[in-house]
Amino acid sequence: MNIHAMWNDYPQVRSDLLEMLRVIDKNIKIREKQIEQNIKNLTQAGGKLLRPAYFLLASHIGPQHNKEQAIAIAAALEVLHMATLVHDDVIDDAPTRRGLETIQAKFGKNYAVYTGDYLFCVCFKILSRYSDDLAQIDLNTGSMERILLGELDQMGMRYNFNMGVKEYLRQISGKTAQLFALSCYLGAEVSQANNFYKHLAKKVGHNIGMAFQIMDDILDYTKNADLIGKPVLNDMKQGVYSLPLIYAMNQDPQAFLPYLKKKENMTDSDLLAVVNLIHKYKGVEEAQNLASKYTDKAIRLIQTLPEGSYRSQMLRVTLSLLKRET
């Protein structure tokens, strides 16, 4: 099983993530073995596994630690994330994910939709077996609702040339930051941290998730597909406008509209022209500044968590998010 090289500096987290992947592998059982193997390949493709990692670190905030339970709930969180990725790939018509051919590209959209639905079931199967009470499952269903509403917000804003920063932040708060917030909150909860620290952990996760998504969107304009493991600029062609583009368009909307109005018919030269305009109007720099603000806030909040080795590790991982290359 592949674990991203970033975890080599965190041997305990790396060990727990490997065990988590084994739990996921054990719980994915499909009669159609080729599809089962493709799902397992996605889990083993070397993704960063940040959401379960933050959960595992946060599970040391409080006075109690049940390693078996923590690893299982981390597995449920990663499966939940995988389900949203499979559905995202259907909506975006994405050919690759983490450097691999997507389920929808290989087997068709129908298979992919049902695969994503199946992964939701796996998530709750694991949770029902290892959660202490129904409150944790209820928290997950509420979070899933907010994640899906964030995705629906994004779909509803496609090809909206007047989309602003506020709308963008609302979208990513649901579709990305919510799962980071849930991971940190659940980690604190299973460790029996008090309410103050549980909600503090949730704020930590929210700010990390916001910074992570902004940086992920920046990579679309600064890196190529081979480096980041997914097609670049596909979102823009599909009418999903991210922060660097929004900031740049605020400076001179008329410069962008001749290209963006072509929608899915944008050519490679059109895409390149928009990227050049984004750099001209400092859209990437503005987005980086906002990502830095979210990261700085997350760091300040982490420093107020109870002392422990988990806290220093959480700080180091969070700082690395602003230096992501792959």
Side-chain angles (χ1 to χ4, degrees):
M1 291 185 178
N2 294 325
I3 291 286
H4 196 280
M6 68 177 289
W7 299 116
N8 291 342
D9 294 333
Y10 309 87
Q12 186 57 59
V13 176
R14 186 180 188 280
S15 174
D16 289 347
L17 288 173
L18 281 169
E19 184 60 32
M20 177 204 75
L21 290 177
R22 285 190 279 269
V23 170
I24 294 174
D25 187 78
K26 185 173 67 174
N27 279 277
I28 294 176
K29 302 294 180 185
I30 299 176
R31 190 175 293 112
E32 177 51 66
K33 294 304 176 185
Q34 188 178 7
I35 295 176
E36 177 185 289
Q37 189 57 52
N38 274 270
I39 296 173
K40 291 183 176 182
N41 288 344
L42 178 61
T43 70
Q44 299 166 16
K48 291 186 178 67
L49 305 174
L50 283 169
R51 295 148 189 87
Y54 272 108
F55 167 83
L56 289 166
L57 289 168
S59 70
H60 294 276
I61 291 174
Q64 302 296 322
H65 184 72
N66 182 325
K67 183 175 180 177
E68 181 182 12
Q69 181 193 44
I71 288 172
I73 295 177
L77 288 166
E78 180 59 16
V79 171
L80 173 59
H81 179 228
M82 287 169 51
T84 65
L85 294 183
V86 172
H87 283 167
D88 278 353
D89 291 338
V90 173
I91 294 167
D92 297 337
D93 202 22
T96 59
R97 166 72 66 178
R98 294 177 179 173
L100 300 175
E101 191 175 15
T102 58
I103 299 290
Q104 69 95 19
K106 197 163 190 175
F107 298 103
K109 293 182 182 294
N110 291 344
Y111 268 109
V113 169
Y114 285 121
T115 297
D117 293 346
Y118 168 74
L119 289 171
F120 283 129
C121 294
V122 172
C123 167
F124 285 104
K125 178 174 73 173
I126 297 171
L127 275 178
S128 65
R129 191 175 302 157
Y130 289 96
S131 289
D132 287 333
D133 52 49
L134 290 176
Q136 290 173 7
I137 296 177
D138 184 58
L139 182 64
N140 274 270
T141 55
S143 295
M144 185 187 298
E145 179 182 15
R146 287 185 285 275
I147 291 166
L148 296 178
L149 287 174
E151 295 287 359
L152 287 171
D153 277 346
Q154 178 174 287
M155 290 183 67
M157 293 294 289
R158 286 195 169 194
Y159 299 113
N160 186 329
F161 306 130
N162 297 312
M163 181 175 169
V165 174
K166 182 178 179 181
E167 289 80 14
Y168 167 83
L169 294 178
R170 184 179 67 235
Q171 285 178 16
I172 70 169
S173 176
K175 76 169 193 171
T176 301
Q178 181 61 40
L179 192 47
F180 277 92
L182 174 66
S183 298
C184 292
Y185 182 93
L186 271 182
E189 182 175 83
V190 300
S191 72
Q192 297 186 20
N194 61 36
N195 284 334
F196 174 81
Y197 285 124
K198 285 192 289 188
H199 289 285
L200 180 59
K202 184 178 181 179
K203 291 178 182 178
V204 167
H206 170 80
N207 283 281
I208 289 168
M210 297 295 282
F212 180 86
Q213 185 59 56
I214 293 170
M215 291 303 300
D216 206 53
D217 289 337
I218 288 170
L219 290 179
D220 264 358
Y221 304 101
T222 58
K223 300 297 174 185
N224 63 46
D226 292 336
L227 282 175
I228 63 177
K230 62 180 181 180
V232 297
L233 303 178
N234 188 55
D235 280 352
M236 182 165 62
K237 200 170 183 178
Q238 297 286 335
V240 177
Y241 303 144
S242 59
L243 195 58
L245 174 60
I246 293 167
Y247 272 135
M249 281 189 70
N250 284 343
Q251 301 297 315
D252 185 1
Q254 296 306 314
F256 291 85
L257 289 179
Y259 304 105
L260 297 180
K261 284 183 175 180
K262 295 182 182 181
K263 299 184 177 180
E264 65 272 10
N265 295 318
M266 291 179 73
T267 65
D268 288 345
S269 61
D270 293 329
L271 294 170
L272 180 59
V274 173
V275 170
N276 288 336
L277 284 170
I278 288 169
H279 287 291
K280 175 182 176 181
Y281 289 109
K282 309 295 184 183
V284 168
E285 289 90 337
E286 289 290 325
Q288 286 173 331
N289 289 338
L290 186 56
S292 294
K293 289 178 182 178
Y294 278 113
T295 302
D296 290 345
K297 186 173 182 181
I299 289 167
R300 290 195 300 270
L301 291 170
I302 291 169
Q303 290 170 334
T304 64
L305 290 169
E307 289 186 8
S309 61
Y310 80 90
R311 191 175 75 176
S312 61
Q313 293 177 70
M314 193 178 285
L315 281 169
R316 287 169 59 201
V317 173
T318 302
L319 283 167
S320 74
L321 292 184
L322 276 182
K323 301 175 183 177
R324 289 190 295 142
E325 296 293 335
T326 60

